[in-house]
Amino acid sequence: MSGPPRPDEATRVVDGHVAALAEGLHGPARVRARLLREAHDGLTDAVADLVEQGVPAGRAAECAVRDFGGADEVRPAFQAELGLAQARQTARLLACVLPALIACWYLAAAFAPAPGGPAVLLAGLLGAVAAAGTLLAVGAAAMTGALGRLVPAPARLPETVARTATCMSVALAVGALSLTAVWAAAGEWAAAAAAGALTLASHVRVGSAARACRRCLGGG
C-alpha cells in the first residue's frame, strides 16, 4: 500500500523558505498567518511563471526564492508590520479598558465614598495617569488605523505603545491595591472587592498586551 504522495522539489524549497522566514516572527497570530500565506502564494506564483517559461521546477523555485530575498533579509520588514499590528491591537485595548476603569472608579466613589487621605489622593493620581494613557492610546489607535492610510505611522509608534502599556499595567497594579485599601479601610467591602478585582483583571490583560508589544520589538 503506497503512502501519501511526496512533495516535489519546488514545493519543498518554497515550504522550507517560508518556514525559515516564520522562525522568530512575533505578533498577532492572524496577521502573522496572513503574511506567511501571502509570501507562500507569491513564491508559488513566481515558480509557476518560471515553469511556464520552460525553467525546471527545482531551478524555478531556487530562482524565485533568490529574487524574493533570504529569510534573514526580509524578516525585519515582516516583523515591522507585525509590530505595527500588535501596537494597533494594544492601543485599541487601552482605549477601551482605561476609560471604563475611570468610570468605574468614580462610580464606586460616588456610591461608596471613602475618607480622605493619601490613598484617596493616590487614586486620583492614578485616574489622571489612566486618562493620559487613554489619550495616547486613542491617538495611537487612530494613527495605526484609518489615519494611517493617509499619513504613515511614526517608526517609533510601536515602541511608544509598548512603553505606555507597560506604564499602565504598573499603574493598574498599584491602583488595584490602593483602591482596595481605601474602601476596605472605610468598611466598604463590596466596593473594595469590585474595584480591586476589576482593576486587577485589567492589569493582567494590559500587562499581557504590553509583553506582546515588547516581544515584537525584540525585548523581554
Side-chain angles (χ1 to χ4, degrees):
M1 183 175 179
S2 60
R6 297 177 62 187
D8 57 33
E9 184 178 356
T11 300
R12 288 197 299 271
V13 171
V14 170
D15 289 350
H17 192 63
V18 173
L21 174 61
E23 294 180 2
L25 284 181
H26 304 293
R30 289 185 180 180
V31 180
R32 183 177 182 272
R34 175 179 60 80
L35 291 175
L36 293 173
R37 184 174 60 252
E38 290 175 353
H40 188 278
D41 292 346
L43 285 169
T44 300
D45 290 343
V47 172
D49 290 342
L50 291 172
V51 170
E52 287 182 0
Q53 299 172 23
V55 180
R59 182 172 177 80
E62 293 174 357
C63 291
V65 166
R66 184 176 63 249
D67 292 341
F68 181 82
D72 293 338
E73 296 173 349
V74 300
R75 189 181 294 112
F78 278 62
Q79 186 58 62
E81 186 166 348
L82 283 169
L84 196 61
Q86 182 62 58
R88 178 166 54 250
Q89 288 190 7
T90 301
R92 289 174 177 174
L93 173 68
L94 292 175
C96 292
V97 168
L98 296 180
L101 275 177
I102 294 173
C104 289
W105 290 344
Y106 282 99
L107 187 63
F111 284 94
V120 175
L121 176 60
L122 178 58
L125 290 175
L126 289 170
V129 171
T134 300
L135 293 177
L136 286 172
V138 169
M143 296 189 73
T144 57
L147 186 59
R149 300 188 185 97
L150 303 175
V151 181
R156 297 182 68 87
L157 183 61
E159 181 180 354
T160 301
V161 172
R163 291 180 181 275
T164 300
T166 300
C167 291
M168 292 302 102
S169 177
V170 173
L172 290 175
V174 175
L177 294 174
S178 63
L179 291 175
T180 301
V182 167
W183 279 300
E188 298 288 352
W189 297 106
L198 181 60
T199 306
L200 185 60
S202 300
H203 156 71
V204 172
R205 184 67 184 89
V206 171
S208 176
R211 287 191 296 274
C213 278
R214 293 197 301 270
R215 195 178 186 196
C216 284
L217 296 170

